[in-house]
Amino acid sequence: MKRLFQDAKPGLYLSLAAGAIALVGAVAYVIIYMAAAGETVDRVFSWLTLGLMLGGAVVTLAGEALKLPFTPILGGACFAVGLANHLVETAYPLADVLTGVPFFGGNPTLAIAFSVVFGVAAILNVAGAFMAHRKSFSGFSALPGYGGEGG
């Protein structure tokens, strides 16, 4: 664990925070929606959103632990698509609230709360992707075959 943080820069901390928030948010997402829905799954819950947020969290956290330079992009893509899918699903209960007609169903409070959680994870990951993650990493030149120490 000490080796992970010994040459850390702000991008690493933002990526780790994004991965942790997404992981905790995805776990809470499935637990809360399954508990709130009872027999039927809430209209806002999406297995695609859950999979993308979990996948993005795993890719981000594992990539930072393994010091892979391209994982912020992959994690960010998963977070962005997961957030977009959740926002599309959030539109249904918000339409019910705005029109005053309970047609689509869903819990607007949970939908907005998870939109904020997933949005924070996506924003942190994107911000971290544009920052240096380690003092000793110099881009792809450090990889074998790219003219660095390995090649």
Side-chain angles (χ1 to χ4, degrees):
M1 189 66 138
K2 184 179 175 185
R3 284 185 45 230
L4 180 63
F5 296 110
Q6 72 185 7
D7 60 348
K9 292 194 102 176
L12 174 75
Y13 294 117
L14 289 176
S15 281
L16 290 176
I21 289 170
L23 184 64
V24 170
V27 170
Y29 180 70
V30 72
I31 290 172
I32 290 172
Y33 271 115
M34 291 302 161
E39 294 291 321
T40 61
V41 177
D42 193 320
R43 173 72 176 105
V44 181
F45 180 80
S46 169
W47 289 104
L48 179 62
T49 300
L50 175 67
L52 286 167
M53 296 311 283
L54 282 175
V58 168
V59 164
T60 300
L61 295 174
E64 293 298 346
L66 296 172
K67 298 183 179 182
L68 298 174
F70 54 86
T71 54
I73 297 168
L74 297 176
C78 288
F79 293 152
V81 175
L83 173 63
N85 186 63
H86 183 71
L87 290 176
V88 167
E89 298 297 330
T90 299
Y92 296 112
L94 291 181
D96 287 351
V97 170
L98 294 174
T99 61
V101 179
F103 181 71
F104 293 112
N107 188 332
T109 306
L110 285 178
I112 292 171
F114 282 111
S115 295
V116 170
V117 170
F118 296 155
V120 167
I123 289 169
L124 286 176
N125 192 331
V126 169
F130 288 99
M131 297 180 180
H133 287 229
R134 291 186 176 71
K135 294 175 187 169
S136 62
F137 182 71
S138 59
F140 285 106
S141 63
L143 296 175
Y146 288 94
E149 60 204 40

